[in-house]
Amino acid sequence: MEKQTKERLGEIRAALKKYGFDEILGQTAKSKIRKNDEETSEILLDEELPLKLRLMLQDLGTTFIKLGQLLSTRPDIVGERIADELANLQDDNPAISYEQVKKIVERELNGNIDELFEDFSHEHLATASIGQVHEARLKTGERVAVKIQKEGITDKIDLDLRIMKYIANRADKLNSNLQKINLPGIMEEFDRSIHKEIDYNNEFMNMQRIELNFEDNPEIHIPATYSKYCTSKVLTMEFIDGTKLNDVYQSSGDEFDKKLLARNVLDSYLQQLFIDGFFHGDPHPGNIMILENNVLCYLDLGMMGFFDEEFKKNLSELMIIFVDQDVDGLINQLMYMDILDYSINTRPLKRDLNDLFGRYFGVELNRFNGVLEDLLNLMQEYGVILPNEFVTMARGLSMIEAIAHNLDPEIDIFASITPIAKQIAKQRINPKQYLKGKKSNLILYEHMLQSLPKLLTRTIHKIDNEELQFRFEVDITDKVSIIALVSALIIGSSVVSFGPMVFDMPVISLIGYIIAIVLSIIGIKKFL
């Protein structure tokens, strides 16, 4: 083991012991595991555990603080008490000198800072554990904000990650109380998350993409980026000079149209969730500025969530079922999305969901106001680890709802969500959607069609030589059953009128006819 690794591991062990977490990680001797589990149970019940955990992570520095900030968004894993406490974590943010900034900028942008910029402020605008921001002006006159990553931060994070993974794997193997949390899985998720954050190219691409999504909406603004001045460690973007949301809340004049802003902040986020499937992962008030003419500006786009088309449609259906208070439908949809296991005992879950709906929907309601939070807590009680995208979405939607209600207490979030969700869900059952398949699907259909003659010939040959056997779960030993099955296939294939076409016939129909032919051959062989 390298000297640096040994020293850092010693610092971490000392911090764990200082705050009483060393027993949680398991003993070296397997004979102590039973005793260790009992000690762990006592520690986990400690009322001061959330505070101790936050202070320990704070002491251990950047990587551990970032881990705590990630866990603060996962109450379904660590519980509400710990998540709330970890939300108070602050980056350790000693500033680096202008000379250090100058060295990094010149190395990354391959030029002299005075030749690259017309002006570059020696004083920082903001600083955090990973980087700091300076105001500057380009030679072309644009006022910009330059984010610079601090020297050596990547090496420190990689060292801590190796040690964290070692500790997580050790604890998972030796401590049964922690196995249900899946510490190794959490560390893998954290590894991906923090490496995205320290690669400024990732934030650059996020800004480019979300700017394109809102290019036709003049009421939403995304800061412009300058690719010539961007690398993995330097990000140069438009300088935003706007009004903070907290100041907008407190304003009493007509400088801001608060109802319009509430509508725009809600609609823009619903577009990100349900239309684009690409959404801001941390839309707290500090990451949203208000520009002139009530224009909304999103900042800090390093952490984004992503839904593929299938998850986006499933989420839309889930929202419709949720608003309709359909408990059976909600459970079935969560199972379909692989969030709930099919083996789960649904009877107590139905009871708890009915209680939840009774609390929040017993009176007319125009906001979630804790519903999603309680739903996440309920899932935790049943040992369900929710997909990270789902939790990020729920947390982001709660933040946006709070912002919208601070601007306009009368806004109805359900009235906004339901029509969008229904529109997306309706597309799933629209036959025209089959005509909008990806190019990869068209190529797949072509390959299928080219392979069908050979496949059919080989299948008939094997049937003829009794080399192919079929097993059916239903009884098809009599002639009537086979005739009925073949007839159903022929009739069903005949009425299909949508999907990709070949020989003026839908591919689905063609496949149905081929299956009917194969079954007919099986029937003829069996009964003759």
Side-chain angles (χ1 to χ4, degrees), residues 16 66 73 150-151 167 175 247 264 281 290 299 304 310 380 450 454-455 494:
L16 290 169
K66 292 296 179 184
T73 68
K150 294 178 179 178
E151 197 77 71
I167 294 173
N175 194 309
D247 294 334
N264 286 343
I290 306 302
L299 302 174
M304 302 292 291
E310 185 68 17
Q380 184 195 30
Q450 290 176 350
K454 293 180 182 179
L455 178 62
S494 300

Side-chain angles (χ1 to χ4, degrees), residues 90-124:
Q90 299 294 324
D91 281 352
D92 52 334
N93 52 7
I96 58 175
S97 69
Y98 172 73
E99 288 305 316
Q100 291 173 296
V101 169
K102 181 174 180 289
K103 179 182 176 182
I104 297 168
V105 169
E106 291 184 340
R107 184 189 67 229
E108 289 295 314
L109 301 184
N110 195 28
N112 186 285
I113 196 168
D114 295 327
E115 295 175 356
L116 291 166
F117 298 91
E118 184 66 29
D119 181 55
F120 197 103
S121 175
H122 287 216
E123 300 298 324
H124 61 269

Side-chain angles (χ1 to χ4, degrees), residues 17-33:
K17 186 174 183 180
K18 174 183 176 182
Y19 290 98
F21 290 103
D22 49 334
E23 287 89 356
I24 283 183
L25 299 178
Q27 306 293 333
T28 54
K30 291 187 178 181
S31 60
K32 295 184 180 180
I33 292 177

Side-chain angles (χ1 to χ4, degrees), residues 2-14 59-64 156 159-160 163:
E2 298 177 0
K3 179 181 178 183
Q4 188 180 18
T5 304
K6 285 184 178 179
E7 290 176 354
R8 182 57 172 158
L9 187 55
E11 293 173 3
I12 294 171
R13 282 173 173 164
D59 285 356
L60 287 171
T62 300
T63 317
F64 288 83
K156 292 178 182 177
L159 173 61
D160 279 349
I163 296 173

Side-chain angles (χ1 to χ4, degrees), residues 269-307:
Y269 202 70
L270 293 179
Q271 175 187 326
Q272 293 174 55
L273 290 177
F274 296 105
I275 306 299
D276 304 328
F278 185 68
F279 57 97
H280 200 305
D282 192 25
H284 62 73
N287 285 338
I288 297 176
M289 297 280 280
I290 306 302
L291 310 183
E292 291 183 3
N293 301 318
N294 297 293
V295 173
L296 194 74
C297 179
Y298 282 98
L299 302 174
D300 195 3
L301 295 152
M303 189 171 79
M304 302 292 291
F306 172 75
F307 295 150

